[in-house]
Amino acid sequence: MAVEVQYYVLLSMALFCTGLFGILTRRNALMFLMSVELMLNAANINLIAFSFYQGNLTGQVFALFTMALAAAEVAVGLGIILVLYRNFRDVDVTVPTTMRW
């Protein structure tokens, strides 16, 4: 019994909208990173679902590439958040108005 592709699309749409809502409404930099991860995972669900239904591995390879991209994004993002916290004692992205001081 296979799950229909529209359920995967609905799940990824819900994840993507949750991530987009998190980015648009939160000011915490950590919440930004988690929201971006949700959006990337939504794309991965679509890539893998359509790859499965097409019968080839192209979408899965792209999903693997997206996971590597997400890992790199988290590494760079956590570095930026650490510098933000060290300099401003807060991870609110509205506090720093410029990157130079």
Side-chain angles (χ1 to χ4, degrees), residues 71-87:
E73 174 254 335
V74 166
V76 171
L78 284 178
I80 291 171
I81 289 171
L82 285 175
V83 169
L84 183 70
Y85 183 76
R86 184 174 44 189
N87 291 331

Side-chain angles (χ1 to χ4, degrees), residues 26-34 77 81 84 91-93:
R26 300 293 179 162
R27 293 187 296 179
N28 189 332
L30 290 173
M31 295 299 287
F32 276 5
L33 281 180
M34 290 193 301
I81 289 171
L84 183 70
V91 290
D92 188 357
V93 294

Side-chain angles (χ1 to χ4, degrees), residues 3-91:
V3 179
E4 297 293 325
V5 72
Q6 62 262 24
Y7 295 115
Y8 291 114
V9 172
L10 287 174
L11 175 66
S12 70
M13 183 182 69
L15 276 179
F16 190 85
C17 288
T18 303
L20 186 63
F21 179 77
I23 284 178
L24 293 177
T25 59
R26 300 293 179 162
R27 293 187 296 179
N28 189 332
L30 290 173
M31 295 299 287
F32 276 5
L33 281 180
M34 290 193 301
S35 298
V36 169
E37 293 294 324
L38 280 178
M39 294 170 75
L40 288 173
N41 283 330
N44 282 343
I45 288 173
N46 270 338
L47 287 170
I48 292 173
F50 284 111
S51 171
F52 176 73
Y53 281 102
Q54 292 292 324
N56 59 19
L57 297 177
T58 306
Q60 294 178 15
V61 171
F62 276 117
L64 188 63
F65 178 73
T66 305
M67 285 184 217
L69 182 71
E73 174 254 335
V74 166
V76 171
L78 284 178
I80 291 171
I81 289 171
L82 285 175
V83 169
L84 183 70
Y85 183 76
R86 184 174 44 189
N87 291 331
F88 296 100
R89 298 289 176 210
D90 197 4
V91 290

